[in-house]
Amino acid sequence: MDSEEYNIEYLKENGFTRKKCERCGSHFWTRDHDRKTCGDAPCEFYSFIGNPIFKERSADEIRESFLSFFEHCPHKHTRMKRYPVVARWRDDIYLNIASIANFQPFVTSGKVPPPANPLVISQPCIRLEDLESIGKTGRHLTAFEMMGHHAFNKRGGEEIYWKNDTVKYCDGFLRHLGVDMDSVTYKEAPWVGGGNAGPCLEVITNGLELATLVFMDLELSPQGEISINGQRYTKMDTYIVDTGYGLERFVWASKGTPTVYDAMFPDVIKELVNASGFEHPLETHPAIIIQNARLSGAMKREEIANKLGISLKNLKNILEPIETIYAIADHTKCLAFMLADGVVPSNAKEGYLARLVLRRVFRMLKSMGIGIPLEDIVLMQIETLRKSFPELEKSVDRIVELVSLEHRRYDETLLKGERIIRQMARGYKRKEEQKIPLDMLINLYDTHGLPPEFVKEVVSNQEAGVDVEVDIPENFYSLVASMHSEERKGEMEQPIVEKIEEKTKSIPATQKLYYEKPSAVDFEATVLDFVDGSVILDKTLFFPEGGGQPADTGSLTLKEENNRTLKVIDVQEVEGVILHKIENGGVSKGAVVSGHIDAARRIAHTKHHSATHVVVCAAREVLGGHIWQAGAQKGEKRARIDITHFKRISDAERREIEMLANRIVMEDKEIKASFEDRNEAEQKYGFRIYQGGVPPGKRIRIVRIGEDEDVQACAGTHCSKTGEIGPIKILRTERIQDGIERIEYSAGEAAVKEIQLLEELIRKSASVLRVPVHKLPSAVERFFEEWKQLRKENERLRAEIAEQRIGLWKEHARDIRGVSVIAEVLPGADTKEMMKIASQLSKDDFLTILIGKREKHASVVSSVPVYLRNEVNASALVKRVCEVLGGSGGGKAEIAQGGGTKIEKVKEAMEAGITLVDDLISKKVQK
C-alpha cells in the first residue's frame, strides 16, 4: 500500500519518526529515535509480564474509561449499547466478530445512515478461528470485548474525522491510562476483510498489540486501481474509521499476569485448579511459567524449551494441564454470552458453533477429572459479568437446563459412536489403509458428533481389534468452525437473478397497491415492459412471493384487445420491480390492463401470515425468549413455522401455545404495519424484528401486534386486527432437525375445517366401536388390551404349530449323502420367523433352506450346522437361491438371508439350492 496513506500530520507534528523494522521489515512510527524494531511479537518479547504497563484496572474500569473518554472528547461520541453476539441483523455471518460488524452491510455501504455519528461502543465478540490457540498462547480468546470508536464519512459530505484525529485520540487515551508514550509504536499493516480494505495502524507497546486503527476506504472491484494481496480495489463512496481496542489486552497490560486468562478469570481458574487436584504451576514452577509467558509471543515452544534448558516433554507436562484450565475458563465465558443471547445448540448455523464449544469443554473437563458441572462454571462467569451485563442473569434457568441436556446427548453420542468408529476403522484396515484421513475425521464430527480425540481412543484400544492411525491436526476445531461460520448462499440462483436485474435496472420500482389498498381485488395499470414471459406494470395489487408467503395468482385483461385475458401464475420481485409471470401469450409496452387477484387465496394467505406472528409470539411466551424463527411457509389450508428450541415441544406446551394464540385472537388486538427508519426500529424494538429475515434498505416495513407483543420486519400481507384471523388450530409439532421444532397450524376457515375433520374422525371411530364419543378413549384402551392378549395367544399357537411342523420336517428330512436337509416353502412366513426356525434346526445338526412365499415377494433363509461349515456356506446357498428369484442375499457362514420378486420360480429356486448342497457335500465325500 502506498506510503502516502500513512503520511499523517499528527505523527509528524508530535515527534514520531517512520522506521523500518530490522526483523520483520514492516514500517512503523515511534517517538523513540533509538528503536530498531516495530515492537510487535515476535520482534519483541512480552516485557510487561511481571512489569505492568500502567496502573492496575479491572475490566469494568477499563471499559468505563474508554467509553467516557470518547463521550467527552471534542467530537463527543454517542455511547451505544452492545449488540447481541448472534448477528441477527446479518444474513452472511452467524456470530458478531467485531464492533464494525454491527454496522455492516447497510451502514458501511452508505445505504443506511449510522445510528449515531460518531459513536463509541464496547462490543462482546466471538471468534472461533483460533480454537487450537486458546489457553496455549496466553493471549487468544474466543469471547472478547472490542472497544471501538467509529466515524462514518461520505465523500462530498461533511467529514466527521479521519486519520489525524483517530491517531490523536488513541495517543490521548493511552496517555490518559498512564502508558509510557515512548514505548508506543504505530505499525503500518494494510487491512483486508469482508470485501473491504484500507490502511491500518497496529498500536503496540512492550510487545503487546493493544489496538488496531483501520481506515476503511476501499472495496473489491475487478477494475480497481489499487492492488492488495493480488486483489483489485477501488475507493468507496464512504470512508470509515474502524477501530478495535482489546479490552482484555488492556486489563492484562495493567496487571502484568503471565496470561490474559489469569488477568480475566482469576476466580474461575482458582475453582477449576482446586477441583482438578493439581497445583497451579505458578506455585510449583513460577520461573518457568513467567519466562514462558514472556517468550510465547516471540518463540515456538521447542525454542522456549531450549532457552529454559528443559526438554520439550517436561515443558508440555508442566504447561498442558493449566492450558486446558485456561481454555475451559475462556470457553465458558463464550458460552455464557452465546446461550444467554439465544443460541440453541444444534447441527446447523450458530447452533453448530455453540455445540462445538460445549463438547470441547465437556471433553476438557473429563480429561482434567473436574467434577464441577459445566452449567455451574457458566453461572460463575455470569456472576462475574452481571454488573456490566445484567441481562445475562435472565437466562440462568434456561442455560442450566440446556447445558445439562446437552451433556446427556453428548454421552449418548459417544456411546453410540464406538460401534460406528470400529466398523469404519475395520473398513480402512481391510483396504490396507494405515491412517484415517482428515476428511473422514471431519465427517465423523459433522455427521455423528464424534470428536477426533474420541476416535483415536477407540481405534487405539487393543480390545477394538483394529490397528489404524489417527493423526489429529492441531487446528482441527478451527478448521471445522470456519466451515460453519458463514451463511452459504445458493450459487445456482445468483446468475438468474443477476440476469433479470440487468434487464430491469432501467425500469422504475413498481407501486405496491397491496399495501395501499389491502382489501382491493381489482385494479388498472399500464404495462412498462415484458421480460422473459413476465409482465411489468407501473402498479399492482399482486403480492410477490416472499417471507414464506406464496405469490398471488389471478388474471390480467386487455380491454383494447377484445378483453384478452392473461393468466398470472407467479409473481416475483427483483430490486423493487415486480414481475407477473403469465401462462402464455405476450403483451405490448404501454398497454392498459385490468388486474384481478384470486381473493380467496389472498385472504387465506393473509390470515395464515398474521397467524404465524401470533403463534411465534405465543411460543416465545410459553417456551422462552430464546425462540427464534428458523423458517416459515404459509399456504391456503395450513401454515408452518420452524423455531429454535432445545427439546421436543410437549403436548401440554402445544396446548398452552394454542390457547394463548387464540386468546390473542379473541382480544382483537390491532395489527399495525408501517415503514420506519431502520436505525430507529432497531433501537426501539431490538433485533427481534429480524425474526423473518433481514430486509434491505434505509426504511423497513414493521408489523406490530397490540402493544408490541410481537414486532417484526415483514413485507407480507396482514389482517388489520387479530380477530380477523379467526380460530387457530395447531395440527402437530415435530422435530425437523436437532434444535429446530416445527409447528403446523391452520387459521380462519381452514382451522374450522380441520376441527371438523377431527370431529368426523372421532365420530366414525366411535361408530365403528359402537360406543358414545365420550367413551371412545376407554373403549380403545380396552380393545387394545384385548388385542395384545389375542396377539400373545396367537404367537403361542403359532409356536405350537411350528413345533409340530418342525417335528414333521425332522421326520421327513432329505438325506443328501448322509446330511439331513430340510428344504421347505412356507406360505406367508416372514424372515424373522424363518430365521428363528433355521437357527433352532442348525443346532440339531440339520441344514436348512426355507423360502417364505408372499404375494409379490419371496424371502429366503438358510442355516448350516457347525460340523459342515468348512464345506457348506449358508451365504453362498442364499445367494444361489436368490439368483433364481431375481434378487440377492448374503450373511454369515452359519446363517444367511435374502429374497427376490420372481415368486413363480420358487420351486426352481429350491431345486437350485438343493443341487448346490449336493455338489458341495459330494466334494467333501470325494476328499
Side-chain angles (χ1 to χ4, degrees):
M1 185 166 278
D2 193 339
S3 61
E4 279 300 306
E5 293 286 358
Y6 299 98
N7 189 15
I8 299 171
E9 285 299 317
Y10 177 84
L11 293 173
K12 293 189 289 185
E13 292 172 357
N14 285 273
F16 284 89
T17 304
R18 187 173 188 257
K19 295 190 171 189
K20 186 174 182 179
C21 180
E22 289 184 353
R23 293 193 177 179
C24 68
S26 298
H27 286 92
F28 64 96
W29 295 79
T30 177
R31 287 184 171 93
D32 182 356
H33 299 294
D34 296 324
R35 175 174 281 279
K36 299 183 184 304
T37 66
C38 63
D40 196 8
C43 300
E44 188 172 312
F45 300 138
Y46 288 158
S47 55
F48 69 94
I49 303 294
N51 184 29
I53 295 172
F54 52 88
K55 181 183 176 183
E56 181 176 336
R57 289 175 174 84
S58 68
D60 289 344
E61 289 170 334
I62 291 287
R63 186 188 303 108
E64 185 54 40
S65 292
F66 181 83
L67 296 173
S68 295
F69 179 88
F70 284 95
E71 272 187 311
H72 299 104
C73 74
H75 280 101
K76 297 192 181 303
H77 296 65
T78 300
R79 183 187 296 214
M80 301 291 295
K81 291 181 179 179
R82 80 163 179 108
Y83 284 43
V85 297
V86 194
R88 301 295 194 192
W89 60 97
R90 302 280 295 268
D91 61 4
D92 55 341
I93 58 174
Y94 302 129
L95 299 175
N96 196 337
I97 57 173
S99 59
I100 194 66
N102 298 343
F103 314 109
Q104 292 174 318
F106 302 116
V107 175
T108 52
S109 66
K111 293 179 180 178
V112 173
N117 201 10
L119 59 84
V120 62
I121 190 170
S122 188
Q123 177 60 48
C125 303
I126 294 177
R127 293 183 188 172
L128 303 180
E129 66 252 29
D130 294 313
L131 277 171
E132 71 281 352
S133 300
I134 306 301
K136 296 178 181 178
T137 61
R139 66 185 183 276
H140 281 94
L141 297 161
T142 58
F144 59 94
E145 274 186 69
M146 184 177 284
M147 304 184 297
H149 61 95
H150 302 283
F152 302 89
N153 304 295
K154 198 155 190 174
R155 300 192 193 282
E158 182 184 353
E159 183 174 279
I160 308 300
Y161 65 83
W162 190 225
K163 297 175 185 177
N164 216 50
D165 286 325
T166 301
V167 179
K168 178 182 176 181
Y169 285 141
C170 181
D171 235 30
F173 179 62
L174 296 179
R175 189 177 287 109
H176 169 73
L177 291 177
V179 176
D180 174 9
M181 300 309 292
D182 286 341
S183 72
V184 176
T185 58
Y186 289 93
K187 178 182 171 183
E188 298 175 9
W191 174 87
V192 172
N196 297 112
C200 168
L201 291 171
E202 295 176 350
V203 186
I204 302 156
T205 179
N206 297 81
L208 181 66
E209 182 185 339
L210 289 174
T212 54
L213 313 178
V214 175
F215 305 103
M216 186 193 299
D217 65 346
L218 300 173
E219 61 186 0
L220 277 171
S221 173
Q223 284 78 44
E225 65 277 9
I226 300 166
S227 177
I228 304 174
N229 299 335
Q231 298 269 35
R232 306 299 300 181
Y233 291 85
T234 191
K235 290 288 184 180
M236 297 163 55
D237 292 335
T238 56
Y239 54 108
I240 299 161
V241 173
D242 169 22
T243 66
Y245 292 66
L247 178 138
E248 291 81 6
R249 296 283 182 99
F250 278 89
V251 175
W252 186 18
S254 81
K255 293 186 177 183
T257 55
T259 71
V260 70
Y261 319 110
D262 295 299
M264 294 303 300
F265 315 120
D267 295 337
V268 173
I269 289 169
K270 184 178 179 182
E271 287 284 339
L272 294 172
V273 167
N274 290 339
S276 70
F278 92 104
E279 290 186 85
H280 197 302
L282 269 174
E283 302 292 331
T284 57
H285 302 86
I288 289 176
I289 289 296
I290 290 170
Q291 277 294 88
N292 176 74
R294 287 174 177 162
L295 301 174
S296 63
M299 300 171 71
K300 294 180 180 179
R301 184 149 292 180
E302 295 88 341
E303 295 171 323
I304 294 173
N306 289 335
K307 190 171 182 67
L308 295 177
I310 62 173
S311 70
L312 178 60
K313 183 179 179 181
N314 285 342
L315 183 60
K316 284 184 175 181
N317 288 338
I318 293 168
L319 295 178
E320 285 180 353
I322 192 62
E323 287 174 347
T324 302
I325 282 175
Y326 286 156
I328 293 169
D330 164 84
H331 286 14
T332 47
K333 179 183 177 182
C334 175
L335 288 169
F337 276 105
M338 290 178 94
L339 302 179
D341 279 3
V343 179
V344 174
S346 68
N347 292 330
K349 300 186 177 182
E350 67 272 6
Y352 180 97
L353 299 173
R355 178 164 285 167
L356 184 150
V357 177
L358 277 163
R359 294 190 169 183
R360 269 177 62 83
V361 184
F362 288 142
R363 187 155 189 84
M364 290 175 182
L365 288 171
K366 184 179 179 181
S367 72
M368 292 300 298
I370 296 173
I372 306 174
L374 174 54
E375 54 266 34
D376 288 356
I377 309 172
V378 175
L379 296 190
M380 287 183 214
Q381 294 284 14
I382 291 175
E383 177 65 23
T384 303
L385 296 163
R386 68 186 178 90
K387 183 179 176 182
S388 302
F389 305 100
E391 66 275 14
L392 301 182
E393 286 193 297
K394 297 176 183 177
S395 307
V396 163
D397 291 342
R398 184 180 76 247
I399 289 172
V400 169
E401 182 182 7
L402 193 154
V403 175
S404 177
L405 180 62
E406 278 295 302
H407 199 176
R408 289 200 300 273
R409 287 175 176 163
Y410 179 61
D411 288 343
E412 290 167 4
T413 295
L414 298 187
L415 201 60
K416 294 175 183 175
E418 285 195 41
R419 180 183 56 80
I420 296 169
I421 294 166
R422 286 175 180 157
Q423 186 177 357
M424 175 270 304
R426 288 191 189 104
Y428 280 106
K429 189 176 181 181
R430 279 196 298 271
K431 290 187 283 186
E432 297 185 351
E433 294 185 24
Q434 303 300 314
K435 185 177 175 181
I436 297 177
L438 176 59
D439 58 353
M440 178 52 70
L441 289 177
I442 292 173
N443 179 265
L444 286 169
Y445 188 83
D446 259 359
T447 307
H448 302 287
L450 300 172
E453 298 90 349
F454 179 70
V455 176
K456 189 170 186 175
E457 280 179 18
V458 173
V459 300
S460 300
N461 189 335
Q462 295 296 321
E463 295 177 7
V466 289
D467 184 20
V468 183
E469 291 181 20
V470 178
D471 286 342
I472 306 170
E474 191 176 359
N475 67 337
F476 178 85
Y477 289 101
S478 298
L479 183 64
V480 170
S482 68
M483 293 166 58
H484 294 268
S485 294
E486 297 181 357
E487 181 72 60
R488 280 156 175 73
K489 305 290 184 183
E491 296 179 6
M492 295 299 291
E493 296 179 12
Q494 196 60 30
I496 299 171
V497 172
E498 288 175 357
K499 182 181 176 184
I500 296 173
E501 283 179 359
E502 182 64 28
K503 291 183 178 182
T504 61
K505 66 181 180 181
S506 60
I507 300 172
T510 310
Q511 184 181 347
K512 298 172 180 178
L513 298 177
Y514 48 82
Y515 289 154
E516 300 172 18
K517 303 174 181 178
S519 59
V521 294
D522 297 299
F523 70 102
E524 285 200 352
T526 302
V527 176
L528 299 182
D529 209 340
F530 185 71
V531 175
D532 293 345
S534 294
V535 180
I536 301 174
L537 305 172
D538 62 338
K539 53 182 172 290
T540 187
L541 272 178
F542 283 89
F543 178 81
E545 180 185 12
Q549 180 172 331
D552 284 339
T553 57
S555 62
L556 298 174
T557 302
L558 292 93
K559 292 182 179 178
E560 297 173 3
E561 297 184 26
N562 298 319
N563 291 326
R564 180 164 68 92
T565 298
L566 305 171
K567 188 176 180 182
V568 178
I569 57 174
D570 188 26
V571 186
Q572 297 293 326
E573 181 178 2
V574 176
E575 294 293 315
V577 176
I578 296 176
L579 297 96
H580 305 73
K581 186 76 175 176
I582 58 175
E583 195 169 53
N584 49 48
V587 63
S588 303
K589 289 184 183 180
V592 176
V593 298
S594 296
H596 176 80
I597 66 168
D598 182 334
R601 177 181 170 89
R602 161 72 75 79
I603 290 168
H605 289 164
T606 297
K607 289 186 175 185
H608 277 123
H609 204 139
S610 294
T612 298
H613 287 224
V614 170
V615 170
V616 169
C617 177
R620 191 182 303 112
E621 183 69 27
V622 173
L623 303 176
H626 63 284
I627 294 300
W628 191 265
Q629 184 175 318
Q633 187 63 47
K634 297 89 181 177
E636 291 182 69
K637 295 181 179 180
R638 56 182 60 189
R640 57 174 168 79
I641 184 79
D642 299 335
I643 57 173
T644 56
H645 191 44
F646 52 88
K647 61 181 180 180
R648 291 300 315 272
I649 297 173
S650 68
D651 288 341
E653 289 169 333
R654 174 182 56 77
R655 289 193 295 270
E656 193 177 350
I657 293 168
E658 184 178 83
M659 182 62 75
L660 181 55
N662 280 289
R663 280 200 195 113
I664 295 171
V665 168
M666 290 184 285
E667 287 167 2
D668 201 21
K669 295 176 182 289
E670 193 172 0
I671 301 176
K672 301 173 186 175
S674 60
F675 283 89
E676 298 188 25
D677 176 85
R678 177 187 291 275
N679 287 321
E680 290 178 7
E682 287 180 355
Q683 291 176 39
K684 197 187 307 182
Y685 310 117
F687 296 102
R688 61 176 174 150
I689 61 175
Y690 298 130
Q691 288 272 340
V694 185
K698 178 181 176 181
R699 293 177 63 78
I700 54 179
R701 187 167 180 262
I702 297 292
V703 175
R704 298 157 51 207
I705 294 178
E707 297 301 318
D708 298 344
E709 282 95 333
D710 184 81
V711 184
Q712 294 188 41
C714 179
T717 60
H718 284 276
C719 303
S720 59
K721 287 195 169 186
T722 57
E724 295 173 10
I725 297 171
I728 295 173
K729 178 62 186 173
I730 295 181
L731 306 175
R732 63 176 181 147
T733 64
E734 63 173 328
R735 169 150 291 186
I736 60 166
Q737 69 179 65
D738 201 20
I740 305 290
E741 292 289 309
R742 173 168 291 172
I743 304 174
E744 194 171 322
Y745 47 91
S746 289
E749 287 185 14
V752 174
K753 288 178 179 177
E754 289 290 348
I755 293 168
Q756 289 175 340
L757 281 172
L758 287 172
E759 287 177 345
E760 183 62 12
L761 182 65
I762 292 168
R763 188 195 63 78
K764 285 183 176 178
S765 299
S767 177
V768 169
L769 297 176
R770 296 180 182 178
V771 296
V773 169
H774 68 277
K775 290 187 177 181
L776 187 57
S778 59
V780 170
E781 191 173 343
R782 189 182 79 245
F783 276 109
F784 183 64
E785 288 299 322
E786 290 176 359
W787 173 80
K788 285 198 295 185
Q789 292 300 322
L790 287 171
R791 187 178 66 171
K792 286 181 181 178
E793 181 63 16
N794 183 42
E795 288 175 355
R796 186 186 66 78
L797 292 171
R798 285 173 69 112
E800 284 185 9
I801 293 168
E803 283 293 329
Q804 293 173 8
R805 184 188 293 171
I806 290 170
L808 289 170
W809 289 346
K810 287 180 177 179
E811 289 179 17
H812 299 91
R814 303 186 189 206
D815 185 305
I816 300 179
R817 303 181 188 272
V819 175
S820 297
V821 178
I822 295 176
E824 298 288 340
V825 176
L826 312 177
D830 60 28
T831 303
K832 185 178 178 182
E833 182 183 358
M834 291 193 299
M835 288 283 282
K836 187 176 179 182
I837 293 169
S839 180
Q840 183 181 332
L841 287 169
S842 66
K843 290 176 184 176
D844 296 335
D845 289 343
F846 287 90
L847 186 152
T848 66
I849 304 174
L850 305 177
I851 302 178
K853 185 178 178 183
R854 292 179 172 248
E855 189 177 344
K856 295 181 180 179
H857 187 268
S859 302
V860 180
V861 171
S862 178
S863 65
V864 176
V866 175
Y867 77 93
L868 276 177
R869 286 176 194 166
N870 290 332
E871 287 76 30
V872 183
N873 185 294
S875 180
L877 278 175
V878 165
K879 285 178 181 177
R880 179 68 189 100
V881 174
C882 290
E883 276 178 21
V884 180
L885 293 171
S888 61
K892 299 178 180 178
E894 60 270 23
I895 191 163
Q897 60 177 303
T901 56
K902 295 181 179 179
I903 55 173
E904 72 278 5
K905 293 192 175 184
V906 164
K907 187 176 180 181
E908 183 182 335
M910 183 65 81
E911 288 302 322
I914 292 168
T915 301
L916 180 57
V917 170
D918 186 57
D919 290 345
L920 293 171
I921 294 172
S922 67
K923 290 178 182 177
K924 176 189 176 186
V925 173
Q926 289 170 8
K927 288 180 184 178

